Amino acid sequence: MKRWILFAGGLVAASGIALGAFVWNAGGWDNFKLRHFHLTQLLSDQTRELADIRARNVAPEQASRIDLGELISGGPPKDGIPSIDSPRFTSAAETPFADDEAVLGVEVNGDVRAYPYGILNWHEVVNDTVGGVPVTITYCPLCDTGLVFQRGGTTFGVSGKLYQSCLVMYDRADDTLYVQPWGIGAVGPAVNRILERLPVVKTTLGAWKARHPDTRVLSTETGHRRDYFKYPYGSYYTDRNLVFPVRGDEQLALHPKAIISYAFRPAEATPHNAFAGCH
């Protein structure tokens, strides 16, 4: 019996050492998790994944403008990445974030606010009211896209799904899925609905404060325990690893993480598995 215990203990120890070496070679725990999140796709069942939409007597296969096979699991479940629904703010003088912190800057009706990337990396969606206008601040860490939408009387959450490696949010009023960079309903009751956008600026906190010294800054008191001064995606922001599949990546002329700017104006056309517009 003792031999079996020792043998089992040896296997556990060996497995631990092997796993430790594997994680080390991957570049640390954050990189290890990120690089293997795509394996959760093997456990994905679209019938179960889209159960909320089916429960509304809507067939996703008909109420969709994308190939459902390209709607994949990002790892966390629905709301596994929690949106911030009751945001708190501090003054520019009181915020713990340094001047070189990247932020999304928003101004609506004279109300000026900054949303640090250190918080957005962990939550991706902030439901707020700025200048009297209900808005949703969104950020996708995998594609570095930051957009602000008018949300009306609803709120948005993180679906846990990705399309072309991009954040897919969902409307809590009807469970419609929206692909964040385009702000268009992709699957669900409100398929093809275009969300109205508001201007947003990606800048540094220091530059934003210099222009708007009275800005309020999103507080780290979010109601969740996260390290908002630690980047949770390892070396993803700078390495060539895309982790999740995207179309046409073999045609890239630039580094896949190169920062570019583009303008997109949604069109009324509704091509399947694509988004019409000019850019």
Side-chain angles (χ1 to χ4, degrees):
M1 183 67 176
K2 290 182 179 180
R3 290 182 179 180
W4 279 109
I5 293 174
L6 290 173
F7 179 67
L11 286 178
V12 170
S15 298
I17 293 172
L19 178 60
F22 196 43
V23 169
W24 177 267
N25 290 332
W29 180 242
D30 289 330
N31 275 347
F32 176 81
K33 289 187 297 181
L34 187 64
R35 291 181 184 180
H36 294 86
F37 269 163
H38 70 282
L39 296 177
T40 61
Q41 298 169 46
L42 302 176
L43 305 175
S44 178
D45 177 352
Q46 288 290 9
T47 300
R48 176 172 51 82
E49 293 280 348
L50 299 173
D52 292 333
I53 292 176
R54 296 181 191 279
R56 297 180 180 275
N57 295 317
V58 174
E61 295 80 6
Q62 280 72 53
S64 172
R65 67 177 293 161
I66 63 174
D67 287 345
L68 295 183
E70 295 188 13
L71 184 67
I72 64 176
S73 170
K78 183 179 184 180
D79 291 320
I81 296 176
S83 62
I84 298 176
D85 299 325
S86 299
R88 298 181 179 182
F89 292 84
T90 62
S91 68
E94 295 172 331
T95 181
F97 290 101
D99 282 351
D100 62 354
E101 174 74 17
V103 300
L104 292 181
V106 179
E107 179 180 7
V108 180
N109 297 328
D111 189 350
V112 183
R113 305 191 185 193
Y115 302 82
Y117 273 38
I119 299 176
L120 295 176
N121 279 326
W122 291 93
H123 295 282
E124 302 186 11
V125 171
V126 180
N127 292 295
D128 200 0
T129 299
V130 184
V133 179
V135 298
T136 296
I137 315 297
T138 69
Y139 177 67
C140 177
L142 296 180
C143 51
D144 193 36
T145 47
L147 296 99
V148 177
F149 304 101
Q150 293 195 36
R151 60 181 173 85
T154 189
T155 60
F156 288 85
V158 181
S159 72
K161 302 172 180 62
L162 298 170
Y163 175 74
Q164 297 300 313
S165 194
C166 294
L167 162 66
V168 176
M169 0 178 256
Y170 78 97
D171 185 342
R172 292 195 172 110
D174 62 9
D175 285 304
T176 295
L177 301 176
Y178 289 82
V179 180
Q180 181 251 10
W182 296 279
I184 298 174
V187 186
V191 65
N192 293 321
R193 177 193 174 201
I194 299 173
L195 298 177
E196 187 170 347
R197 304 182 185 201
L198 291 173
V200 59
V201 176
K202 176 186 176 181
T203 184
T204 63
L205 180 58
W208 187 251
K209 288 194 303 183
R211 186 167 183 176
H212 302 284
D214 59 342
T215 187
R216 292 195 289 167
V217 183
L218 184 63
S219 171
T220 56
E221 295 182 13
T222 63
H224 302 276
R225 296 184 64 181
R226 302 289 189 276
D227 185 350
Y228 296 122
F229 302 95
K230 178 180 181 293
Y231 180 64
Y233 293 99
S235 61
Y236 181 84
Y237 194 72
T238 56
D239 66 30
R240 300 190 67 89
N241 187 18
L242 288 178
V243 182
F244 297 98
V246 297
R247 293 195 302 260
D249 60 328
E250 72 283 352
Q251 301 174 14
L252 284 175
L254 300 175
H255 189 288
K257 307 300 172 57
I259 304 299
I260 63 172
S261 298
Y262 74 94
F264 179 83
R265 180 176 299 163
E268 296 301 323
T270 57
H272 182 70
N273 216 36
F275 294 91
C278 38
H279 62 279

